[in-house]
Amino acid sequence: MKAGVFDSGIGGLTVVKSLIEHKLFEEIVYYGDTARVPYGSKDKNTIIRYAIEAVEFFKNFELDIIIVACNSVSAYALAEMQEVSDIPVVGVVEAGVAATAKKIQNKNDEILIIGTKATVASKAYEKGLKELGFHSLVAQATPLFVPLVEEGIFGGKVLEATLEHYFKPLKKPSAIILGCTHFPLISEAIGGYFDNEPVLVHSGEAIVELLERDFVFDSRFASTRLRFFASDNPSFLKSVAKRWLDT
Amino acid sequence: MKAGVFDSGIGGLTVVKSLIEHKLFEEIVYYGDTARVPYGSKDKNTIIRYAIEAVEFFKNFELDIIIVACNSVSAYALAEMQEVSDIPVVGVVEAGVAATAKKIQNKNDEILIIGTKATVASKAYEKGLKELGFHSLVAQATPLFVPLVEEGIFGGKVLEATLEHYFKPLKKPSAIILGCTHFPLISEAIGGYFDNEPVLVHSGEAIVELLERDFVFDSRFASTRLRFFASDNPSFLKSVAKRWLDT
């Protein structure tokens, strides 16, 4: 099996990491739209336009599936991508919803969804979770987490003040959906803010669970061939991939 | 006189504000490339490509001058824009250098330049200031200030921690060049961090000084006609303009 992984930037590499660890694919083609990142503050129609362009890009390869690692794209443009694609397209939002339901049995439990402004405004996670019977849902846009991660700030006073800024008004959640590919890199700090050890839902692990549930994998691959494409500065993408994925 | 003002996003409105206050133009056409903002982390060649597209865009209007409000574009693409433009193109970097020299007489004084990663990496301000005899120059990329401003955080603990993060290792400067159009919105906090009341160099005021030095303005205009264009979400640009410019 060969997969295309699409993200607005480099954050989707956290999803690639999970895919490699679980040896699901013999080849992964990663496309990061780094020339137009971030999507999280862009208009819905613009996100859809860019997402359809990504499907066209992947048609240059013989792929079996497209995985949308970007939460904003998954929230706004998944159906539109599926419409123009000849192969299945799966996204991190549906995966995150399924993973949450698997981890949290009590439908009364408080679920906190964090993400970019676009992802939170889409209410895509709430919609999916409500259909499964959850009703105690709080969504908080935490856009500053993205530049913090990109600045390499994984702890310290700036992050602490930012956590306080976003989380102080909130009740302790049973689970936190990390609704942005950057957030796994500060997941310890995010989870650690609350003293009740909330369950963290990670897009990469959630996608693996979804794939294993919905698709048949005949074999596992000892190693995954990786190809990286970026609309701007591909060498930066490759250097981050080297660091994050240890390739 | 009619001017085109180009910025990667909405930040250039702080420059427009200064232009309106000084009544220099009867019409300003603002173009924000909001579909591809921010430029500050993009590759030099990508920035040049986008900047040339902006010159082409402005050819649809009968303009007398193009003002580049974006520091990253001014730092990397001004010469390339001038090459393809039939009308003068001026940028905030040359303006900021000139304004600093006007405000600071002692060439030994410490000048702090803050901006995006791209602007700081370009060393454009240092180059200009060194040519004028300044030699005690420190440049600090402060990329987190941009999303803070966009989040509407103009004070409080997150901003304090971020100021501390960037400025703690630095000596007290005599002047701070606000090398990003977003920074005037938190200039009080930036200047206030240092207890020696450094002079702040603001791109908008600097551009007005440069224009008045290099161009002849036959008349002043009681009001400025404003036209706004954005490559994404123009209604957001217009709503911010309404708020910032009180139009």
Side-chain angles (χ1 to χ4, degrees):
Chain A
M1 291 262 282
K2 297 182 181 182
V5 174
F6 174 50
D7 186 48
S8 56
I10 58 169
L13 293 171
T14 59
V15 171
V16 172
K17 197 179 173 77
S18 299
L19 297 173
I20 295 172
E21 281 168 5
H22 289 267
K23 308 177 195 301
L24 293 186
F25 298 102
E26 62 178 311
E27 181 169 302
I28 292 173
V29 177
Y30 185 93
Y31 175 53
D33 190 7
T34 47
R36 304 188 290 202
V37 73
Y39 285 9
S41 47
K42 288 188 172 60
D43 193 63
K44 182 185 171 179
N45 291 321
T46 305
I47 294 173
I48 291 173
R49 202 169 74 237
Y50 294 171
I52 288 174
E53 286 175 24
V55 175
E56 296 303 323
F57 173 81
F58 284 130
K59 286 183 179 167
N60 297 312
F61 307 88
E62 303 251 313
L63 301 175
D64 301 293
I65 190 167
I66 294 172
I67 295 163
V68 180
C70 175
N71 279 268
S72 305
V73 174
S74 301
Y76 282 112
L78 195 69
E80 285 81 357
M81 291 179 79
Q82 287 167 338
E83 232 166 74
V84 297
S85 176
D86 307 321
I87 54 174
V89 183
V90 298
V92 286
V93 171
E94 48 172 339
V97 168
T100 306
K102 206 172 154 190
K103 284 171 199 266
I104 303 292
Q105 270 71 48
N106 187 342
K107 306 285 184 189
N108 298 322
D109 274 10
E110 176 105 355
I111 316 286
L112 171 62
I113 301 137
I114 58 175
T116 62
K117 280 183 192 176
T119 300
V120 167
S122 76
K123 296 189 183 294
Y125 279 105
E126 282 104 314
K127 195 167 167 286
L129 289 167
K130 274 183 186 160
E131 278 170 12
L132 298 179
F134 292 93
H135 52 87
S136 194
L137 309 173
V138 173
Q140 171 68 51
T142 56
L144 287 173
F145 288 168
V146 176
L148 284 171
V149 167
E150 291 188 346
E151 270 279 88
I153 295 175
F154 304 126
K157 280 186 191 163
V158 179
L159 182 57
E160 277 166 32
T162 309
L163 288 164
E164 186 91 4
H165 174 73
Y166 288 130
F167 291 161
K168 203 177 178 185
L170 305 180
K171 278 198 287 186
K172 291 175 193 171
S174 298
I176 304 177
I177 298 182
L178 305 172
C180 173
T181 49
H182 283 66
F183 297 175
L185 293 157
I186 49 169
S187 59
E188 259 182 63
I190 291 170
Y193 179 85
F194 300 98
D195 58 11
N196 61 325
E197 296 186 13
V199 168
L200 299 181
V201 180
H202 174 299
S203 294
E205 291 163 21
I207 274 286
V208 168
E209 285 178 18
L210 183 88
L211 290 170
E212 290 181 333
R213 187 192 74 184
D214 292 352
F215 297 88
V216 177
F217 291 87
D218 291 331
S219 48
R220 300 278 160 157
F221 301 93
S223 70
T224 306
R225 204 162 51 246
L226 298 172
R227 301 176 69 183
F228 295 106
F229 297 88
S231 51
D232 181 44
N233 214 339
S235 59
F236 175 66
L237 170 66
K238 282 173 194 165
S239 77
V240 176
K242 215 176 166 65
R243 204 152 19 101
W244 286 7
L245 305 178
D246 206 19
T247 56
Chain B
M1 292 260 283
K2 296 181 181 182
V5 174
F6 175 50
D7 186 48
S8 56
I10 58 168
L13 293 172
T14 59
V15 172
V16 172
K17 197 179 172 77
S18 299
L19 296 173
I20 295 172
E21 280 168 5
H22 290 267
K23 307 176 195 299
L24 293 186
F25 297 102
E26 61 179 310
E27 181 168 304
I28 293 174
V29 177
Y30 185 94
Y31 175 53
D33 191 8
T34 47
R36 304 189 288 203
V37 73
Y39 284 9
S41 48
K42 288 187 173 59
D43 193 63
K44 182 185 169 178
N45 293 321
T46 306
I47 293 173
I48 290 173
R49 201 169 75 238
Y50 293 171
I52 287 173
E53 287 175 23
V55 174
E56 296 304 322
F57 173 80
F58 283 130
K59 285 183 180 166
N60 297 312
F61 306 89
E62 303 250 313
L63 302 175
D64 300 294
I65 190 167
I66 294 172
I67 296 163
V68 181
C70 176
N71 279 268
S72 305
V73 174
S74 301
Y76 282 112
L78 196 68
E80 287 79 358
M81 291 178 79
Q82 287 167 338
E83 231 167 74
V84 298
S85 176
D86 307 320
I87 54 174
V89 183
V90 298
V92 287
V93 171
E94 48 171 340
V97 168
T100 307
K102 206 174 154 189
K103 284 171 198 269
I104 303 292
Q105 270 71 47
N106 188 343
K107 306 285 184 188
N108 298 322
D109 273 12
E110 176 105 354
I111 315 287
L112 170 62
I113 301 136
I114 57 175
T116 62
K117 281 184 190 175
T119 299
V120 166
S122 76
K123 295 189 186 293
Y125 278 105
E126 282 104 312
K127 195 166 167 285
L129 289 166
K130 275 184 186 159
E131 278 170 13
L132 298 179
F134 291 93
H135 53 87
S136 194
L137 310 173
V138 174
Q140 171 69 51
T142 57
L144 287 173
F145 288 167
V146 177
L148 283 171
V149 167
E150 290 187 345
E151 271 279 86
I153 294 176
F154 305 126
K157 279 185 190 165
V158 180
L159 182 57
E160 278 165 30
T162 309
L163 289 164
E164 187 90 5
H165 174 72
Y166 288 131
F167 291 160
K168 204 179 176 182
L170 305 181
K171 278 197 287 187
K172 290 174 193 172
S174 298
I176 304 176
I177 297 181
L178 305 172
C180 173
T181 48
H182 282 67
F183 298 175
L185 293 156
I186 49 169
S187 59
E188 259 182 62
I190 290 170
Y193 179 84
F194 300 99
D195 57 13
N196 62 326
E197 296 186 12
V199 167
L200 300 181
V201 179
H202 174 300
S203 294
E205 290 163 20
I207 274 285
V208 168
E209 284 178 19
L210 182 89
L211 291 171
E212 289 182 333
R213 188 193 72 184
D214 292 352
F215 297 88
V216 177
F217 291 87
D218 290 330
S219 49
R220 301 277 160 157
F221 300 94
S223 71
T224 306
R225 204 162 48 246
L226 299 171
R227 301 176 68 182
F228 296 106
F229 298 88
S231 51
D232 181 43
N233 214 339
S235 59
F236 175 65
L237 170 66
K238 282 173 196 166
S239 77
V240 176
K242 216 175 166 61
R243 203 151 19 98
W244 287 7
L245 305 178
D246 207 17
T247 56

PDB file of all heavy atoms in Angstrom, chain A residues 154-170:
ATOM      1  N   PHE A 154       8.944  24.369  23.849  1.00  0.00           N
ATOM      2  CA  PHE A 154       8.180  23.200  24.313  1.00  0.00           C
ATOM      3  C   PHE A 154       7.952  23.243  25.827  1.00  0.00           C
ATOM      4  O   PHE A 154       7.391  22.321  26.414  1.00  0.00           O
ATOM      5  CB  PHE A 154       8.909  21.912  23.932  1.00  0.00           C
ATOM      6  CG  PHE A 154       9.181  21.812  22.451  1.00  0.00           C
ATOM      7  CD1 PHE A 154      10.474  21.585  21.986  1.00  0.00           C
ATOM      8  CD2 PHE A 154       8.160  21.951  21.524  1.00  0.00           C
ATOM      9  CE1 PHE A 154      10.728  21.497  20.612  1.00  0.00           C
ATOM     10  CE2 PHE A 154       8.397  21.873  20.165  1.00  0.00           C
ATOM     11  CZ  PHE A 154       9.686  21.644  19.697  1.00  0.00           C
ATOM     12  N   GLY A 155       8.439  24.295  26.469  1.00  0.00           N
ATOM     13  CA  GLY A 155       8.267  24.439  27.907  1.00  0.00           C
ATOM     14  C   GLY A 155       8.660  25.850  28.300  1.00  0.00           C
ATOM     15  O   GLY A 155       8.906  26.685  27.430  1.00  0.00           O
ATOM     16  N   GLY A 156       8.697  26.133  29.606  1.00  0.00           N
ATOM     17  CA  GLY A 156       9.132  27.448  30.062  1.00  0.00           C
ATOM     18  C   GLY A 156       7.992  28.425  30.246  1.00  0.00           C
ATOM     19  O   GLY A 156       6.819  28.087  30.088  1.00  0.00           O
ATOM     20  N   LYS A 157       8.377  29.662  30.596  1.00  0.00           N
ATOM     21  CA  LYS A 157       7.397  30.657  31.044  1.00  0.00           C
ATOM     22  C   LYS A 157       6.412  31.103  29.971  1.00  0.00           C
ATOM     23  O   LYS A 157       5.253  31.367  30.263  1.00  0.00           O
ATOM     24  CB  LYS A 157       8.129  31.896  31.580  1.00  0.00           C
ATOM     25  CG  LYS A 157       8.634  31.690  32.988  1.00  0.00           C
ATOM     26  CD  LYS A 157       9.209  32.970  33.545  1.00  0.00           C
ATOM     27  CE  LYS A 157       9.940  32.687  34.846  1.00  0.00           C
ATOM     28  NZ  LYS A 157      10.828  33.777  35.225  1.00  0.00           N
ATOM     29  N   VAL A 158       6.878  31.224  28.711  1.00  0.00           N
ATOM     30  CA  VAL A 158       5.965  31.688  27.660  1.00  0.00           C
ATOM     31  C   VAL A 158       4.864  30.651  27.450  1.00  0.00           C
ATOM     32  O   VAL A 158       3.678  30.980  27.388  1.00  0.00           O
ATOM     33  CB  VAL A 158       6.714  31.944  26.326  1.00  0.00           C
ATOM     34  CG1 VAL A 158       5.736  32.399  25.253  1.00  0.00           C
ATOM     35  CG2 VAL A 158       7.819  32.978  26.514  1.00  0.00           C
ATOM     36  N   LEU A 159       5.263  29.385  27.383  1.00  0.00           N
ATOM     37  CA  LEU A 159       4.265  28.326  27.205  1.00  0.00           C
ATOM     38  C   LEU A 159       3.334  28.251  28.411  1.00  0.00           C
ATOM     39  O   LEU A 159       2.105  28.146  28.262  1.00  0.00           O
ATOM     40  CB  LEU A 159       4.947  26.969  26.962  1.00  0.00           C
ATOM     41  CG  LEU A 159       3.994  25.803  26.713  1.00  0.00           C
ATOM     42  CD1 LEU A 159       3.052  26.050  25.544  1.00  0.00           C
ATOM     43  CD2 LEU A 159       4.771  24.501  26.468  1.00  0.00           C
ATOM     44  N   GLU A 160       3.912  28.342  29.620  1.00  0.00           N
ATOM     45  CA  GLU A 160       3.081  28.301  30.843  1.00  0.00           C
ATOM     46  C   GLU A 160       2.033  29.419  30.833  1.00  0.00           C
ATOM     47  O   GLU A 160       0.852  29.192  31.128  1.00  0.00           O
ATOM     48  CB  GLU A 160       3.959  28.461  32.085  1.00  0.00           C
ATOM     49  CG  GLU A 160       4.611  27.167  32.535  1.00  0.00           C
ATOM     50  CD  GLU A 160       5.736  27.425  33.533  1.00  0.00           C
ATOM     51  OE1 GLU A 160       5.648  28.402  34.306  1.00  0.00           O
ATOM     52  OE2 GLU A 160       6.716  26.646  33.515  1.00  0.00           O
ATOM     53  N   ALA A 161       2.478  30.634  30.478  1.00  0.00           N
ATOM     54  CA  ALA A 161       1.545  31.771  30.454  1.00  0.00           C
ATOM     55  C   ALA A 161       0.470  31.563  29.393  1.00  0.00           C
ATOM     56  O   ALA A 161      -0.692  31.943  29.583  1.00  0.00           O
ATOM     57  CB  ALA A 161       2.298  33.074  30.200  1.00  0.00           C
ATOM     58  N   THR A 162       0.859  30.944  28.276  1.00  0.00           N
ATOM     59  CA  THR A 162      -0.101  30.715  27.191  1.00  0.00           C
ATOM     60  C   THR A 162      -1.119  29.635  27.584  1.00  0.00           C
ATOM     61  O   THR A 162      -2.320  29.761  27.316  1.00  0.00           O
ATOM     62  CB  THR A 162       0.644  30.325  25.902  1.00  0.00           C
ATOM     63  OG1 THR A 162       1.671  31.288  25.646  1.00  0.00           O
ATOM     64  CG2 THR A 162      -0.293  30.291  24.704  1.00  0.00           C
ATOM     65  N   LEU A 163      -0.644  28.575  28.240  1.00  0.00           N
ATOM     66  CA  LEU A 163      -1.550  27.527  28.742  1.00  0.00           C
ATOM     67  C   LEU A 163      -2.571  28.142  29.699  1.00  0.00           C
ATOM     68  O   LEU A 163      -3.776  27.881  29.605  1.00  0.00           O
ATOM     69  CB  LEU A 163      -0.749  26.436  29.462  1.00  0.00           C
ATOM     70  CG  LEU A 163       0.099  25.515  28.577  1.00  0.00           C
ATOM     71  CD1 LEU A 163       1.132  24.764  29.414  1.00  0.00           C
ATOM     72  CD2 LEU A 163      -0.773  24.518  27.821  1.00  0.00           C
ATOM     73  N   GLU A 164      -2.060  28.948  30.608  1.00  0.00           N
ATOM     74  CA  GLU A 164      -2.902  29.643  31.592  1.00  0.00           C
ATOM     75  C   GLU A 164      -3.946  30.522  30.878  1.00  0.00           C
ATOM     76  O   GLU A 164      -5.129  30.516  31.231  1.00  0.00           O
ATOM     77  CB  GLU A 164      -1.972  30.522  32.451  1.00  0.00           C
ATOM     78  CG  GLU A 164      -2.625  31.205  33.622  1.00  0.00           C
ATOM     79  CD  GLU A 164      -2.573  30.380  34.898  1.00  0.00           C
ATOM     80  OE1 GLU A 164      -1.961  29.287  34.896  1.00  0.00           O
ATOM     81  OE2 GLU A 164      -3.181  30.824  35.898  1.00  0.00           O
ATOM     82  N   HIS A 165      -3.469  31.251  29.869  1.00  0.00           N
ATOM     83  CA  HIS A 165      -4.332  32.158  29.103  1.00  0.00           C
ATOM     84  C   HIS A 165      -5.540  31.413  28.506  1.00  0.00           C
ATOM     85  O   HIS A 165      -6.675  31.875  28.562  1.00  0.00           O
ATOM     86  CB  HIS A 165      -3.489  32.805  27.999  1.00  0.00           C
ATOM     87  CG  HIS A 165      -4.249  33.655  27.033  1.00  0.00           C
ATOM     88  ND1 HIS A 165      -4.742  34.900  27.355  1.00  0.00           N
ATOM     89  CD2 HIS A 165      -4.589  33.458  25.727  1.00  0.00           C
ATOM     90  CE1 HIS A 165      -5.361  35.416  26.308  1.00  0.00           C
ATOM     91  NE2 HIS A 165      -5.283  34.564  25.308  1.00  0.00           N
ATOM     92  N   TYR A 166      -5.275  30.238  27.945  1.00  0.00           N
ATOM     93  CA  TYR A 166      -6.352  29.499  27.280  1.00  0.00           C
ATOM     94  C   TYR A 166      -7.155  28.607  28.228  1.00  0.00           C
ATOM     95  O   TYR A 166      -8.346  28.421  28.052  1.00  0.00           O
ATOM     96  CB  TYR A 166      -5.779  28.623  26.164  1.00  0.00           C
ATOM     97  CG  TYR A 166      -5.293  29.371  24.942  1.00  0.00           C
ATOM     98  CD1 TYR A 166      -4.028  29.132  24.417  1.00  0.00           C
ATOM     99  CD2 TYR A 166      -6.105  30.305  24.295  1.00  0.00           C
ATOM    100  CE1 TYR A 166      -3.578  29.798  23.279  1.00  0.00           C
ATOM    101  CE2 TYR A 166      -5.671  30.980  23.165  1.00  0.00           C
ATOM    102  CZ  TYR A 166      -4.410  30.714  22.660  1.00  0.00           C
ATOM    103  OH  TYR A 166      -3.982  31.371  21.541  1.00  0.00           O
ATOM    104  N   PHE A 167      -6.466  28.005  29.187  1.00  0.00           N
ATOM    105  CA  PHE A 167      -7.099  26.921  29.953  1.00  0.00           C
ATOM    106  C   PHE A 167      -7.678  27.346  31.305  1.00  0.00           C
ATOM    107  O   PHE A 167      -8.481  26.622  31.868  1.00  0.00           O
ATOM    108  CB  PHE A 167      -6.096  25.782  30.189  1.00  0.00           C
ATOM    109  CG  PHE A 167      -5.717  25.032  28.931  1.00  0.00           C
ATOM    110  CD1 PHE A 167      -4.549  24.262  28.887  1.00  0.00           C
ATOM    111  CD2 PHE A 167      -6.519  25.072  27.797  1.00  0.00           C
ATOM    112  CE1 PHE A 167      -4.198  23.560  27.738  1.00  0.00           C
ATOM    113  CE2 PHE A 167      -6.175  24.380  26.637  1.00  0.00           C
ATOM    114  CZ  PHE A 167      -5.007  23.621  26.613  1.00  0.00           C
ATOM    115  N   LYS A 168      -7.240  28.501  31.817  1.00  0.00           N
ATOM    116  CA  LYS A 168      -7.678  28.896  33.159  1.00  0.00           C
ATOM    117  C   LYS A 168      -9.198  28.894  33.323  1.00  0.00           C
ATOM    118  O   LYS A 168      -9.708  28.438  34.342  1.00  0.00           O
ATOM    119  CB  LYS A 168      -7.106  30.261  33.535  1.00  0.00           C
ATOM    120  CG  LYS A 168      -7.051  30.460  35.046  1.00  0.00           C
ATOM    121  CD  LYS A 168      -6.429  31.775  35.439  1.00  0.00           C
ATOM    122  CE  LYS A 168      -6.461  31.898  36.965  1.00  0.00           C
ATOM    123  NZ  LYS A 168      -5.982  33.211  37.393  1.00  0.00           N
ATOM    124  N   PRO A 169      -9.952  29.389  32.337  1.00  0.00           N
ATOM    125  CA  PRO A 169     -11.417  29.432  32.538  1.00  0.00           C
ATOM    126  C   PRO A 169     -12.101  28.060  32.413  1.00  0.00           C
ATOM    127  O   PRO A 169     -13.299  27.966  32.667  1.00  0.00           O
ATOM    128  CB  PRO A 169     -11.907  30.343  31.395  1.00  0.00           C
ATOM    129  CG  PRO A 169     -10.684  30.933  30.757  1.00  0.00           C
ATOM    130  CD  PRO A 169      -9.565  30.003  31.060  1.00  0.00           C
ATOM    131  N   LEU A 170     -11.366  27.026  32.041  1.00  0.00           N
ATOM    132  CA  LEU A 170     -12.007  25.751  31.698  1.00  0.00           C
ATOM    133  C   LEU A 170     -12.080  24.779  32.864  1.00  0.00           C
ATOM    134  O   LEU A 170     -11.247  24.782  33.761  1.00  0.00           O
ATOM    135  CB  LEU A 170     -11.234  25.083  30.548  1.00  0.00           C
ATOM    136  CG  LEU A 170     -11.027  25.910  29.282  1.00  0.00           C
ATOM    137  CD1 LEU A 170     -10.251  25.095  28.249  1.00  0.00           C
ATOM    138  CD2 LEU A 170     -12.346  26.386  28.712  1.00  0.00           C
TER     139      LEU A 170
END
